[in-house]
Amino acid sequence: MDFEIIRDRLDVLVNSNRISELKGALSMLNVVDIAEYLSGLDNEKMLMVFRLLSKDISADVFSYMDNDQRRKVMDALEDSEALRIIDDMFMDDAVDFFEEMPAGLVRRMLAGCDETKRAQINQFLRYPENSAGSIMTIEYVECHTGITVGHAMAEIRKNGVDKETIYTLYVLDDRRVLLGTVALRKMLLASDDAIIDTLMNPQVISVTTTDDQEFVADTVRKYDLMSIPVVDRENRLVGIITVDDIVDVIEEENTEDFEKMAAMLPSEDEYLKTPVITLCKNRLPWLLILMISATFTGMIITHFENILSSAGAMGVALIACIPMLMDTGGNCGAQASTLSIRGLALGEIQFSDILRCLWKELRVGVLLGIILALVNFGRLLLLNHTTAIIALIVSISMFLTVILAKALGCTLPLLAKSVGLDPALMASPLITTIVDACSLLILFSIATRLLV
Amino acid sequence: MDFEIIRDRLDVLVNSNRISELKGALSMLNVVDIAEYLSGLDNEKMLMVFRLLSKDISADVFSYMDNDQRRKVMDALEDSEALRIIDDMFMDDAVDFFEEMPAGLVRRMLAGCDETKRAQINQFLRYPENSAGSIMTIEYVECHTGITVGHAMAEIRKNGVDKETIYTLYVLDDRRVLLGTVALRKMLLASDDAIIDTLMNPQVISVTTTDDQEFVADTVRKYDLMSIPVVDRENRLVGIITVDDIVDVIEEENTEDFEKMAAMLPSEDEYLKTPVITLCKNRLPWLLILMISATFTGMIITHFENILSSAGAMGVALIACIPMLMDTGGNCGAQASTLSIRGLALGEIQFSDILRCLWKELRVGVLLGIILALVNFGRLLLLNHTTAIIALIVSISMFLTVILAKALGCTLPLLAKSVGLDPALMASPLITTIVDACSLLILFSIATRLLV
């Protein structure tokens, strides 16, 4: 059913206070849709609807609400009720929630938790931001080496109901070192008295708590995993990360790349929820750096002042072509750098491919350069009625600029990566600024030779 | 273990032809790593190693190999052996493979398949590219309404071993209409003689065969699903899509957006595998369009020729500032449009938010415009020693350009979306071209007033 229709029907029930009908309607909905509906309500109605949710879904709905509303719910609820919700949340969602809440609320809530839960949450809150430890969950099923399938199945039946995934069983030794995994499908097909170790896959792909979430996402994507175990430095199992959380990590990392490539500092908040002042802070540094770098282009123009003024009308015709030359150069560089940055992000190219990339881009540059220069030459003569010499100067500059832009665009991200910088910084804005200066130098050098 | 080390050790075994040791070493590796290793070998060695793979993993390894190598394997193998591999592949991987192979090979292979398989593959090949139908698989477990849990478990044990996911059971009526799903975890916890319908979740989130894969990915991401059923127009179950395939779709769609936003036609191949001529074809159209659009900027400069030549040295100082003004305007526009395009892609903003976005960007524009104009004013006076009047003209133009760039950058993607165009087209390159012309108009209008 379309979300618009859902919202309209619920609105009618909420506004006319038909409580029991509303309860019934809510029970037909997915928790994600309920959270989305709540986000459009004012505080009073939101709290009213939230209190109507049945106990078994309220924690789930809470996990999908935004931080503002979650804080309001926490403030409005009795402490015991608030604690029950936190208790019902998966560990990764609970930690996520605590990370975003004000310290006072966190202290009050943690004081109410039982000791084990409190210790766990505190432990999780200590992992560095964006590390595997900070996004993992502890809802998994484990067993010790040497037990039978029947035993393990009983364990799953007993403890599995609350687990994020029960479809992989983790086999540990006495020191909790991860020995291997057993897929539930294999256990279903085996006899009850088979020893679990015989079904075990010992080649476990795992990550450590301090690995960056981007690395975790790359690993899960590469091996098509549904979940990945997280171990500490002694290879002891401490948590798992499921693929549905990885999907969010991937979108987060992509957004970060989009932002960096448009000369912004990355932000974790949704656009509409980010205050104006934060948006300005994220955008100002690169705008300033790039604006001041563009001083060079001005200096180049001033330096060649003589040729411009001595050439008279031809000088103006030359100047009139500068924006077009700069834009085309910038676009050519942006194309090459985008493919280079994206290839690095997806692991499709490495620094060692730099010569192959350069060779490819040089050929692309020559081919595109010829076509663009020819079109440009014709356009200048036929449409703009410039003199042949100006058209020639601009077209040769165009040809050389395109090749240079392609070469810089593909190599700079690879070079950045090789010295430990983020390749996404070498995107359109910076490349454009560099190519601008180069294209002006090329244009004026050729003009000096051909005009004087 | 690091992939470099794996490769070096295997290289030694391959080069010294130590077959049985090689077999043992391969048995320790993940199929993805084996495929990656094969991709670095020449044909002869690649085929030699491929033939050593045990029967139960060769189809999996084959799924992860690239198209060139797959074709070579198919050509080198006996038909019966090739057919066995296709038979062992998951349906979505097999279809994927057939889509990429030359028609002759496809016909030869299909002729060898049994009739059911052939009919299925033909059916799959008819779904439109990038539709849910084209990426779904038929490896799922289904049962009829009304049976007991014990029955269903027996069904899973009997047929589940080959299925991509056995963790969700799909409940159908006599006409194969999807009634609901049952999670395997629920079945494990229920008694054997419970009727399956009592455990069933009737609120199934599904997609239809013709839905675009981007819509499928958005749905899976929104509801945190591990798999999603695909139904036909009569709501009959025809396949499922698992989240590990969704991860690939998400990266594909992101790459497409990156490419479009850098003024390229999207490509499905990896960069290093794309021929130079294809790269040129993808890049040329927008370069030409944007280059020709940039003619306007030239016309504006020519139009204001008088003011430039009559102003003498001041004219040159003004021209020297054009690249900096254009670049800053372009960067400001790119920042706003990137956030707008990304917000649309993630469903965080809609067309109806256009006024909220505009209001936000106007405030950001005024704030950034003031800072950039002031810094620029100081820089021109102190570093470049221009006259105060030129510094004033450029700084006022800077202020107005920044605001205009922010306003255009945030609204154009939303407007594009509302008329059914791809918002990603309204990215940096196009915005830059538009803002360039506007900034020149602003600059010269102000100069005309203040200089003459």
Side-chain angles (χ1 to χ4, degrees):
Chain A
M1 191 158 54
D2 203 30
F3 183 69
E4 307 272 314
I5 307 175
I6 294 177
R7 192 175 50 200
D8 291 347
R9 295 200 184 158
L10 288 177
D11 275 347
V12 172
L13 299 176
V14 168
N15 293 328
S16 53
N17 238 346
R18 282 139 71 183
I19 301 299
S20 45
E21 278 178 72
L22 188 56
K23 262 190 173 171
L26 289 169
S27 73
M28 294 306 293
L29 293 180
N30 184 290
V31 291
V32 180
D33 289 327
I34 298 177
E36 192 171 341
Y37 177 67
L38 289 177
S39 73
L41 295 181
D42 63 33
N43 281 333
E44 200 186 335
K45 283 183 186 157
M46 182 270 288
L47 286 171
M48 187 268 272
V49 176
F50 187 85
R51 287 202 167 100
L52 289 180
L53 296 174
S54 73
K55 274 198 167 43
D56 54 321
I57 64 163
S58 56
D60 274 353
V61 172
F62 188 77
S63 303
Y64 283 100
M65 288 165 69
D66 67 35
N67 287 328
D68 277 358
Q69 292 204 319
R70 297 208 283 199
R71 187 154 44 209
K72 272 161 205 150
V73 168
M74 281 292 139
D75 286 342
L77 290 183
E78 303 269 318
D79 272 12
S80 65
E81 184 60 8
L83 277 173
R84 190 194 55 73
I85 286 179
I86 289 169
D87 222 52
D88 280 358
M89 283 164 82
F90 286 122
M91 182 57 102
D92 51 349
D93 293 328
V95 170
D96 202 40
F97 166 69
F98 279 117
E99 274 171 350
E100 303 294 338
M101 289 297 114
L105 180 66
V106 173
R107 253 198 312 278
R108 188 159 60 89
M109 287 297 134
L110 278 183
C113 284
D114 73 64
E115 208 169 315
T116 334
K117 186 100 181 179
R118 185 165 59 230
Q120 283 169 345
I121 291 179
N122 271 323
Q123 164 78 22
F124 272 58
L125 288 173
R126 271 199 299 273
Y127 290 113
E129 209 184 350
N130 297 336
S131 67
S134 74
I135 57 166
M136 70 186 182
T137 183
I138 49 166
E139 280 82 10
Y140 57 83
V141 202
E142 59 180 42
C143 75
H144 270 81
T145 175
I147 68 167
T148 63
V149 169
H151 251 98
M153 287 296 284
E155 183 67 20
I156 291 176
R157 287 208 176 83
K158 204 176 102 208
N159 294 321
V161 66
D162 269 343
K163 306 300 177 182
E164 276 228 316
T165 170
I166 61 162
Y167 303 131
T168 304
L169 179 74
Y170 297 89
V171 184
L172 311 179
D173 73 5
D174 291 341
R175 290 173 24 260
R176 297 193 51 76
V177 167
L178 181 60
L179 299 177
T181 57
V182 182
L184 180 57
R185 65 206 301 168
K186 277 203 176 170
M187 293 168 60
L188 286 179
L189 300 169
S191 83
D192 268 4
D193 44 357
I195 298 296
I196 205 80
D197 303 48
T198 58
L199 305 177
M200 188 175 80
N201 169 21
Q203 302 160 32
V204 188
I205 293 160
S206 64
V207 290
T208 58
T209 46
T210 49
D211 280 334
D212 190 83
Q213 60 176 3
E214 193 166 359
F215 174 76
V216 180
D218 287 345
T219 309
V220 169
R221 190 165 55 81
K222 177 172 177 187
Y223 294 101
D224 282 350
L225 306 175
M226 298 298 263
S227 60
I228 193 166
V230 183
V231 295
D232 64 13
R233 248 161 298 175
E234 278 86 44
N235 204 29
R236 290 176 302 209
L237 184 67
V238 287
I240 64 164
I241 300 171
T242 48
V243 69
D244 52 317
D245 292 326
I246 290 299
V247 167
D248 297 333
V249 170
I250 289 177
E251 286 296 22
E252 225 176 83
E253 299 289 339
N254 276 313
T255 301
E256 240 186 77
D257 273 358
F258 276 109
E259 287 169 341
K260 282 186 202 149
M261 288 169 74
M264 288 178 276
L265 307 182
S267 138
E268 292 208 347
D269 287 320
E270 283 189 25
Y271 172 70
L272 285 176
K273 287 176 191 151
T274 315
V276 168
I277 196 79
T278 312
L279 287 175
C280 287
K281 271 191 204 154
N282 291 340
R283 298 183 192 183
L284 188 61
W286 274 106
L287 286 179
L288 276 178
I289 293 172
L290 293 170
M291 185 177 84
I292 290 169
S293 315
T295 309
F296 285 107
T297 54
M299 282 162 62
I300 295 169
I301 294 180
T302 318
H303 180 77
F304 288 97
E305 189 179 340
N306 294 337
I307 189 155
L308 289 176
S309 41
S310 67
M314 293 221 277
V316 175
L318 215 53
I319 290 168
C321 293
I322 290 179
M324 187 254 334
L325 187 64
M326 280 176 28
D327 278 353
T328 306
N331 291 334
C332 285
Q335 292 178 332
S337 74
T338 297
L339 290 186
S340 191
I341 293 167
R342 192 66 188 150
L344 281 167
L346 294 179
E348 291 172 357
I349 52 177
Q350 330 287 337
F351 177 67
S352 54
D353 296 316
I354 191 164
L355 289 180
R356 282 175 72 193
C357 291
L358 187 61
W359 173 229
K360 210 180 245 296
E361 287 300 326
L362 284 177
R363 285 175 295 164
V364 172
V366 169
L367 211 57
L368 289 176
I370 291 174
I371 301 173
L372 292 171
L374 285 179
V375 172
N376 189 51
F377 189 78
R379 178 183 70 87
L380 285 175
L381 282 187
L382 301 176
L383 286 179
N384 300 52
H385 309 294
T386 57
T387 55
I389 187 79
I390 292 293
L392 189 68
I393 293 172
V394 175
S395 298
I396 296 176
S397 307
M398 172 72 78
F399 175 71
L400 295 175
T401 300
V402 170
I403 297 176
L404 185 77
K406 291 294 180 197
L408 286 175
C410 83
T411 47
L412 287 185
L414 289 164
L415 289 171
K417 174 89 177 187
S418 77
V419 297
L421 285 174
D422 191 333
L425 299 178
M426 297 295 159
S428 175
L430 193 59
I431 301 267
T432 300
T433 305
I434 299 172
V435 170
D436 279 358
C438 298
S439 65
L440 285 177
L441 277 177
I442 293 174
L443 178 75
F444 286 122
S445 310
I446 296 176
T448 316
R449 265 154 227 252
L450 295 187
L451 279 186
V452 182
Chain B
M1 189 157 58
D2 203 29
F3 183 68
E4 307 272 313
I5 308 175
I6 294 177
R7 193 174 50 199
D8 291 346
R9 295 201 186 157
L10 288 177
D11 274 348
V12 172
L13 298 178
V14 168
N15 293 329
S16 53
N17 240 344
R18 280 140 72 184
I19 302 299
S20 45
E21 278 177 71
L22 188 54
K23 263 189 171 169
L26 289 169
S27 72
M28 293 307 293
L29 294 181
N30 184 290
V31 292
V32 180
D33 290 327
I34 298 178
E36 192 171 341
Y37 176 66
L38 288 177
S39 73
L41 293 181
D42 63 34
N43 280 333
E44 200 186 334
K45 282 181 187 158
M46 181 270 288
L47 286 171
M48 187 268 273
V49 176
F50 188 84
R51 288 202 166 100
L52 289 181
L53 296 174
S54 73
K55 275 199 167 44
D56 54 320
I57 65 163
S58 58
D60 274 353
V61 172
F62 188 77
S63 302
Y64 283 100
M65 287 164 69
D66 67 36
N67 287 328
D68 277 357
Q69 292 205 318
R70 297 207 283 200
R71 187 154 43 208
K72 273 160 205 152
V73 168
M74 282 292 139
D75 286 342
L77 290 184
E78 302 270 317
D79 272 13
S80 65
E81 184 60 7
L83 277 172
R84 189 193 56 72
I85 287 179
I86 290 170
D87 222 54
D88 280 358
M89 283 164 83
F90 286 121
M91 182 58 102
D92 52 348
D93 293 328
V95 170
D96 201 41
F97 166 68
F98 279 118
E99 274 171 350
E100 304 294 338
M101 289 298 113
L105 180 65
V106 173
R107 254 197 311 277
R108 189 159 60 88
M109 287 297 133
L110 279 183
C113 284
D114 74 66
E115 210 170 314
T116 335
K117 186 98 182 181
R118 185 166 57 229
Q120 282 169 347
I121 291 179
N122 271 322
Q123 163 78 19
F124 271 58
L125 287 173
R126 272 199 299 273
Y127 290 114
E129 210 185 351
N130 296 335
S131 67
S134 75
I135 57 167
M136 71 186 182
T137 183
I138 51 166
E139 280 82 11
Y140 57 83
V141 201
E142 59 180 41
C143 74
H144 271 80
T145 175
I147 69 167
T148 63
V149 169
H151 250 95
M153 288 294 286
E155 183 67 21
I156 291 177
R157 286 208 176 83
K158 203 176 101 207
N159 295 321
V161 66
D162 269 342
K163 306 298 176 182
E164 276 228 317
T165 168
I166 60 163
Y167 304 130
T168 305
L169 179 73
Y170 298 90
V171 184
L172 311 179
D173 73 5
D174 291 341
R175 290 173 26 258
R176 299 193 51 76
V177 168
L178 181 59
L179 299 177
T181 57
V182 182
L184 180 58
R185 65 206 301 168
K186 277 204 176 168
M187 292 168 60
L188 286 179
L189 300 169
S191 84
D192 268 5
D193 45 357
I195 298 297
I196 206 79
D197 304 47
T198 57
L199 306 177
M200 188 175 78
N201 168 21
Q203 302 160 32
V204 189
I205 293 159
S206 64
V207 289
T208 58
T209 47
T210 50
D211 281 333
D212 190 83
Q213 60 175 2
E214 194 165 359
F215 174 77
V216 181
D218 288 346
T219 309
V220 169
R221 191 165 54 82
K222 178 173 176 186
Y223 294 102
D224 281 349
L225 305 175
M226 298 299 262
S227 61
I228 192 165
V230 183
V231 295
D232 64 12
R233 252 162 295 175
E234 278 85 45
N235 204 28
R236 291 176 302 208
L237 184 66
V238 287
I240 64 163
I241 300 171
T242 48
V243 69
D244 52 317
D245 291 326
I246 290 300
V247 167
D248 297 332
V249 170
I250 289 177
E251 287 295 22
E252 225 177 84
E253 298 289 338
N254 276 314
T255 301
E256 241 185 76
D257 273 358
F258 276 109
E259 288 168 341
K260 283 186 202 148
M261 288 170 73
M264 286 178 277
L265 307 182
S267 140
E268 292 207 347
D269 287 321
E270 283 188 25
Y271 172 70
L272 284 177
K273 287 176 191 151
T274 316
V276 168
I277 197 78
T278 313
L279 287 175
C280 287
K281 272 190 203 154
N282 292 341
R283 299 183 191 184
L284 187 62
W286 275 106
L287 287 179
L288 275 178
I289 294 172
L290 293 169
M291 185 177 84
I292 291 170
S293 315
T295 308
F296 286 106
T297 52
M299 283 161 62
I300 295 169
I301 294 180
T302 318
H303 180 78
F304 288 97
E305 189 179 341
N306 294 338
I307 188 155
L308 289 175
S309 42
S310 68
M314 292 221 275
V316 175
L318 215 52
I319 290 168
C321 292
I322 290 180
M324 186 253 333
L325 187 65
M326 282 178 24
D327 278 352
T328 307
N331 290 335
C332 285
Q335 291 178 331
S337 73
T338 297
L339 290 187
S340 192
I341 292 168
R342 192 66 187 150
L344 281 168
L346 294 179
E348 292 172 357
I349 52 177
Q350 330 287 337
F351 177 67
S352 54
D353 296 315
I354 191 163
L355 289 180
R356 282 175 72 193
C357 291
L358 188 60
W359 172 230
K360 209 179 245 295
E361 287 300 326
L362 283 178
R363 285 176 294 165
V364 173
V366 169
L367 212 56
L368 288 177
I370 291 174
I371 299 173
L372 291 172
L374 284 179
V375 172
N376 189 51
F377 190 78
R379 179 183 70 87
L380 284 175
L381 282 187
L382 300 176
L383 286 179
N384 300 52
H385 308 293
T386 57
T387 56
I389 187 78
I390 292 292
L392 188 67
I393 294 172
V394 175
S395 298
I396 296 176
S397 306
M398 172 70 80
F399 174 71
L400 295 175
T401 300
V402 170
I403 296 175
L404 185 77
K406 291 293 181 198
L408 285 175
C410 84
T411 47
L412 286 186
L414 290 163
L415 288 172
K417 174 92 177 185
S418 77
V419 296
L421 285 174
D422 189 331
L425 298 178
M426 297 293 159
S428 174
L430 194 59
I431 301 265
T432 300
T433 305
I434 300 172
V435 170
D436 279 358
C438 298
S439 64
L440 284 177
L441 277 178
I442 293 174
L443 178 74
F444 286 121
S445 311
I446 297 176
T448 316
R449 265 152 226 253
L450 295 187
L451 279 186
V452 182

